[in-house]
Amino acid sequence: MLKKNEIYRAVVSGFTSEGLGVCRVDGYAVFVPNAAPDEEYDLRIEHIGKTAAYGKIVNIITRSPARVNRECPYAKLCGGCDFWHLSYEAELEIKRQRVMDALNRLGGQALSFLPITGAKTCKNYRNKAQYPVNADGKVGFFKKGTHEVVPIERCLILPECMDEAKKIVHSWMRQVRVKPYDEGTHTGVLRHIFVRHGAATGQMMVCLVINADDIPQKKLLISELSKLPGMTSISLNINKRKGNAVLGDETRVIWGEEAIEDRLCDLTFRISPRAFYQVNRDQAEILYQKAIACADLNGTQTVMDLYCGTGTITLCLAKNAKSVIGVEVIDAAIENAKENARRNGIENVRFFCADAGEAAIRLAKEGALPDVIVVDPPRKGISADVIEAIVQMQPKKVVYVSCDPATLARDVKLLCQRGYILTHAEAVDLFPRCSHIESVVCLSREKTVHSEQITDESSVCLKKR
Ligand code: SAH
C-alpha cells in the first residue's frame, strides 16, 4: 500500500495531458512534475488521491539524454509552461505519442505512426498574455494550480514588446498609486494586464482589466504606452465580478482602435479583446493549411464550418469552395467574422450566431447537404447531437481540428461507428514548452482511402478498418 512521504523507486512510463510524468508504484499511477521519458527516480509521495498519487523527484537514478538546463529561470515556479526541462525533440515526441495513443486507445484506431509538425521557434511565439496582478501589487503569472503570482520580468514565449507593455503599466500603477486588486476582499482596481500582438502586422493591444469604472492619470499611461512601436489599441475592460473570468462584458477604448489586425493565410483579420485567435500565428497558419488540404476543395463544394470563431478557417476555405457557412455561438465573434469577410472581399460565405448543435440540427432538417463539414470545437469536443446532425447531412468528409486529443478520439470513434473512416491524422504544435497540442484529422464517408488527397506524402497516416 502506497504511503505518503515514503520514498519509492519507479520508472517514467508515460505522460499525462498536463505534461506530468506517469510512474507505476504498487498499482498506483503516480504523477510526477519535471519528469523526462524513461528516467528512473527515487520519488517521495506527496499526495494520494482516489485514482492517482502525486510524487516529487528526490533523486534521479538514470538520467535521460533529453533532459536539458532550463532556459527560463521561472520554469519551476510559473504555471505557464511544462517542458522547459526537456529538449524540444523530446517534447514533440511526448505530444505525438499522446495524440496517437488517444486515437488508438480511445478512438478505436490502429495507427502505427502519426506525424507532428513542430514549431520553428519555441520563443517569442505567443501573441496573447493575461498578466494577473495580486493584492501586493506583484505582476506575473500564477504558480501552477494556485492564485499565487510569480513576478516575471521576461517570459521567453512572449515577444519582448509584450513584457515591455506590461512593465509600463506596472510602473504607472505604482507611480500613481492605483490599488492592485485583492481577490480575497474583492477590493482594489487593477486585476489583469491583457496584451495582444499581431505577429505579422506588429500591431499591439493593451487592455487593463479593472474592478472600477475608470482609472486615474490616463494621459500619463497613454503617453508611455503609445511610444511602443505598433501600439494600436489601449482600452479598459470593466470586470467587477468575483471569480476567475478575466474579462468582463464592457470594454472601453481610451486610445486608438477597438481591435488590432493580423494577417493569416494571406487574409487580414480583426481581433478584438474578447475574440478567439490562435495564440501562435505561424503555427496556426500551418494548422489551417493542413485542414484545408484535408478538405481538398476544387471550387465546386459547399462547406460548413462549425465553431468558426472570427471566421479564420471559414475564410481560408472560401477561396476554394463554392460557398461556406460558418457557425459560432459568440455574437461578437460572428460580428468580427462578417467584418473579416467584408474587409477581405469574400462574398461566398454566410455566418450564423448559434449553438453548433442547434444550427447543425436545423440545417440538417432543412435538407442542407454540405460536401465537407469542418469542426474546430473547444476542449470538450462536439456533443452527441452534433455528431448525429453531421451524420444526417452525410458530408463526404469531416475535417476535425482539435485542441484536445481525448475528446477528439471519443468523437472519431462515434463518427466511425456511423460510417466514417479515419483517412488522415496529424498533430501540429502551437504551444512549444506547454503541454497543449493541436491535431487535425480527416474522416471520409467512402470506404476507400484517398492517400493522394493529402498534400505531403510523408505525412500521410492511414489505416484500414
Ligand atoms: N475556428 C476558429 C475558432 C476555434 S475555437 C479559429 O481557429 O480561430 C472554438 C470556437 O468555438 C470558439 O470561438 C467558441 O466561442 C466556439 N464555441 C464554443 N462552444 C460553441 C457552441 N456550443 N456552438 C458554437 N460555437 C461554440
Side-chain angles (χ1 to χ4, degrees):
M1 185 68 187
L2 206 62
K3 280 201 187 121
K4 197 174 162 180
N5 293 328
E6 291 280 301
I7 310 261
Y8 296 85
R9 189 158 287 191
V11 174
V12 178
S13 57
F15 285 82
T16 68
S17 53
E18 285 84 33
L20 301 174
V22 182
C23 294
R24 297 261 158 211
V25 186
D26 273 1
Y28 264 89
V30 181
F31 297 154
V32 185
N34 302 307
D38 305 320
E39 281 186 339
E40 188 177 24
Y41 308 123
D42 284 335
L43 292 174
R44 181 184 299 112
I45 303 300
E46 302 218 303
H47 172 80
I48 304 176
K50 276 202 181 113
T51 52
Y54 289 81
K56 191 176 174 185
I57 302 171
V58 185
N59 188 17
I60 300 177
I61 311 291
T62 48
R63 200 181 178 84
S64 163
R67 192 175 276 281
V68 298
N69 288 332
R70 294 173 179 82
E71 265 185 87
C72 171
Y74 311 101
K76 268 185 135 172
L77 280 176
C78 171
C81 297
D82 308 281
F83 289 132
W84 279 107
H85 63 290
L86 294 181
S87 68
Y88 187 47
E89 291 70 33
E91 173 185 334
L92 282 179
E93 181 54 24
I94 290 169
K95 291 175 168 177
R96 197 186 74 74
Q97 203 72 46
R98 181 170 147 222
V99 177
M100 195 168 86
D101 280 358
L103 286 169
N104 287 344
R105 288 191 202 158
L106 308 170
Q109 306 300 313
L111 306 172
S112 53
F113 181 71
L114 180 134
I116 184 164
T117 306
K120 284 202 189 76
T121 170
C122 295
K123 291 186 192 160
N124 310 328
Y125 69 82
R126 204 184 146 91
N127 59 29
K128 181 177 113 175
Q130 305 176 129
Y131 304 91
V133 180
N134 78 356
D136 304 331
K138 285 183 190 153
V139 179
F141 292 115
F142 287 136
K143 190 174 161 187
K144 200 162 226 91
T146 75
H147 273 201
E148 234 173 90
V149 171
V150 181
I152 283 171
E153 280 279 316
R154 173 80 194 104
C155 167
L156 292 179
I157 65 172
L158 300 176
E160 265 186 271
C161 59
M162 291 174 64
D163 276 335
E164 202 52 45
K166 174 223 27 176
K167 201 165 135 192
I168 290 173
V169 179
H170 196 192
S171 319
W172 163 85
M173 179 188 93
R174 282 185 295 205
Q175 193 184 338
V176 307
R177 296 174 191 273
V178 172
K179 274 190 92 174
Y181 178 68
D182 182 341
E183 269 189 329
T185 56
H186 192 53
T187 57
V189 176
L190 188 61
R191 296 177 74 139
H192 275 88
I193 304 169
F194 178 109
V195 186
R196 251 182 171 156
H197 177 248
T201 57
Q203 294 189 4
M204 187 147 58
M205 159 190 289
V206 174
C207 176
L208 272 57
V209 185
I210 54 170
N211 175 43
D213 292 311
D214 212 344
I215 50 166
Q217 305 264 7
K218 276 202 278 281
K219 274 197 185 140
L220 176 66
L221 177 73
I222 291 168
S223 76
E224 289 301 314
L225 279 178
S226 59
K227 281 183 204 152
L228 288 178
M231 186 56 68
T232 303
S233 166
I234 306 174
S235 59
L236 301 176
N237 177 275
I238 319 298
N239 184 2
K240 294 188 188 173
R241 281 192 297 241
K242 289 185 183 169
N244 293 342
V246 173
L247 292 175
D249 295 332
E250 186 193 339
T251 304
R252 208 164 71 233
V253 180
I254 57 170
W255 184 85
E257 303 286 321
E258 178 265 330
I260 58 165
E261 287 184 346
D262 202 15
R263 286 191 65 77
L264 198 61
C265 302
D266 289 329
L267 298 171
T268 303
F269 291 95
R270 256 179 97 70
I271 311 146
S272 53
R274 290 190 69 93
F276 176 88
Y277 186 61
Q278 286 287 7
V279 297
N280 185 336
R281 183 222 161 260
D282 294 2
Q283 290 296 97
E285 197 164 71
I286 293 174
L287 177 75
Y288 295 162
Q289 280 161 357
K290 306 250 181 214
I292 289 159
C294 284
D296 192 32
L297 304 174
N298 63 11
T300 62
Q301 292 91 345
T302 56
V303 185
M304 202 175 277
D305 179 18
L306 302 177
Y307 311 90
C308 70
T310 56
T312 39
I313 298 180
T314 331
L315 298 180
C316 294
L317 290 163
K319 289 183 198 165
N320 297 313
K322 190 169 146 206
S323 63
V324 194
I325 295 177
V327 178
E328 157 67 43
V329 80
I330 294 188
D331 201 28
I334 283 292
E335 288 312 311
N336 276 330
K338 286 180 182 165
E339 172 75 9
N340 286 332
R342 203 182 55 74
R343 283 170 167 255
N344 289 290
I346 296 175
E347 289 176 347
N348 58 338
V349 292
R350 278 188 300 152
F351 288 102
F352 291 108
C353 182
D355 169 72
E358 283 165 20
I361 292 164
R362 204 183 65 222
L363 291 162
K365 272 195 189 140
E366 287 169 6
L369 292 171
D371 299 290
V372 178
I373 296 183
V374 177
V375 295
D376 182 9
R379 271 182 224 160
K380 65 177 186 228
I382 50 181
S383 51
D385 56 341
V386 181
I387 303 245
E388 206 43 54
I390 290 175
V391 169
Q392 271 179 36
M393 288 186 272
Q394 301 182 17
K396 287 188 200 74
K397 275 187 185 167
V398 178
V399 179
Y400 194 138
V401 180
S402 161
C403 54
D404 186 321
T407 55
L408 166 71
R410 176 201 67 198
D411 297 340
V412 161
K413 188 171 186 180
L414 290 173
L415 284 164
C416 288
Q417 284 164 354
R418 306 298 307 271
Y420 285 84
I421 53 168
L422 186 75
T423 54
H424 182 78
E426 64 182 298
V428 180
D429 189 22
L430 270 68
F431 314 102
R433 284 14 210 129
C434 307
S435 61
H436 298 300
I437 182 72
E438 290 276 329
S439 325
V440 54
V441 310
C442 186
L443 295 121
S444 192
R445 209 161 58 85
E446 297 114 88
K447 298 276 174 189
T448 47
V449 166
H450 302 290
S451 59
E452 69 284 357
Q453 290 177 349
I454 311 299
T455 46
D456 178 3
E457 278 290 330
S458 65
S459 73
V460 176
C461 177
L462 306 168
K463 75 158 280 274
K464 289 217 169 65
R465 269 156 68 94

